[in-house]
Amino acid sequence: NNTVSIDIVVNNFDSLVGIQFGIRWDMGILDFVGETNFLPEVSNFNTIAEPGAILFTWAHFSSVPSSTTLPNGTVIFTLDFNLVGARC
């Protein structure tokens, strides 16, 4: 099997109204396929994929000010890659 799926897991996701982060990888080893399995509570992610990197932003949009809390170990989405080179 030449595919890899990586779950993005949160800890201490307590009373958040927004997050942003980026993930980079070696393009000689992995080829980005896409993101899947977005958790409904945080499904309004914005993503920008670039060669060898993906950037994420999320904000809790609501007419009433509120935040989102998730249990430790919650998978918020999955990144899927094809293996194109030797593993480290």
Side-chain angles (χ1 to χ4, degrees):
N1 188 351
N2 289 330
T3 61
V4 175
S5 294
I6 300 171
D7 292 334
I8 305 303
V9 177
V10 295
N11 288 313
N12 301 311
F13 201 103
D14 186 23
S15 302
L16 296 182
V17 295
I19 59 173
Q20 63 182 16
F21 60 95
I23 297 173
R24 295 189 175 278
W25 59 89
D26 185 334
M27 293 177 18
I29 298 172
L30 298 172
D31 180 40
F32 180 65
V33 175
E35 61 273 340
T36 57
N37 301 324
F38 280 96
L39 186 68
E41 292 89 335
V42 293
S43 63
N44 55 340
F45 261 104
N46 291 307
T47 61
I48 300 170
E50 300 177 352
I54 189 164
L55 307 171
F56 298 90
T57 60
W58 167 81
H60 182 102
F61 293 111
S62 175
S63 59
V64 177
S66 62
S67 61
T68 300
T69 298
L70 299 171
N72 287 346
T74 298
V75 176
I76 55 173
F77 62 92
T78 302
L79 296 177
D80 298 315
F81 297 91
N82 286 325
L83 291 172
V84 295
R87 290 184 174 181
C88 295

